[in-house]
Amino acid sequence: QQTFELASTLAQGGQTPGMGFIGVQVYNTEMTMGIADVTLSSQPGGTVRYNGSNGLPSSTGTMTLADGLGYIFNVPAGMVTLSATGGGMTFRSHAVNARADTVTTTLIQP
């Protein structure tokens, strides 16, 4: 719970009780490294944030850094479709079941 709240505070995600929070890792096809310069989106939408240069969630990032990490705050609980664009690659969108008041994690690959 403390990590969950800290991520929202650092990224200024404004996580609301009863909503879902998705942690996303954008990886290469070999699953060996993150991919930079990728933007994330979700349907239904949420508040998208990325890690900053200090390796912590940030409110100012506009895309993934080399670690490939992103966060989507305040998505409705239930099925959420995630999409990624950029990084010179084509990514597969997929749905995840976001749970209320907890962190749901997923990977996105080309």
Side-chain angles (χ1 to χ4, degrees):
Q1 184 66 33
Q2 290 175 335
T3 301
F4 177 70
E5 291 171 2
L6 179 61
S8 181
T9 299
L10 290 173
Q12 296 177 5
Q15 186 66 24
T16 303
M19 299 295 279
F21 168 45
I22 303 172
V24 181
Q25 174 75 55
V26 183
Y27 263 123
N28 64 1
T29 55
E30 295 81 27
M31 301 278 297
T32 57
M33 59 189 281
I35 300 173
D37 304 325
V38 174
T39 57
L40 301 171
S41 62
S42 67
Q43 186 60 37
T47 303
V48 179
R49 298 287 193 255
Y50 304 94
N51 268 3
S53 58
N54 60 359
L56 297 173
S58 170
S59 64
T60 60
T62 58
M63 61 186 61
T64 60
L65 299 178
D67 60 11
L69 291 173
Y71 312 92
I72 306 177
F73 296 90
N74 289 315
V75 295
M79 296 308 290
V80 176
T81 300
L82 301 176
S83 300
T85 57
M89 300 180 182
T90 301
F91 297 93
R92 293 173 271 170
S93 295
H94 69 280
V96 297
N97 187 13
R99 291 177 172 75
D101 301 318
T102 191
V103 179
T104 301
T105 60
T106 191
L107 301 175
I108 294 182
Q109 293 179 268

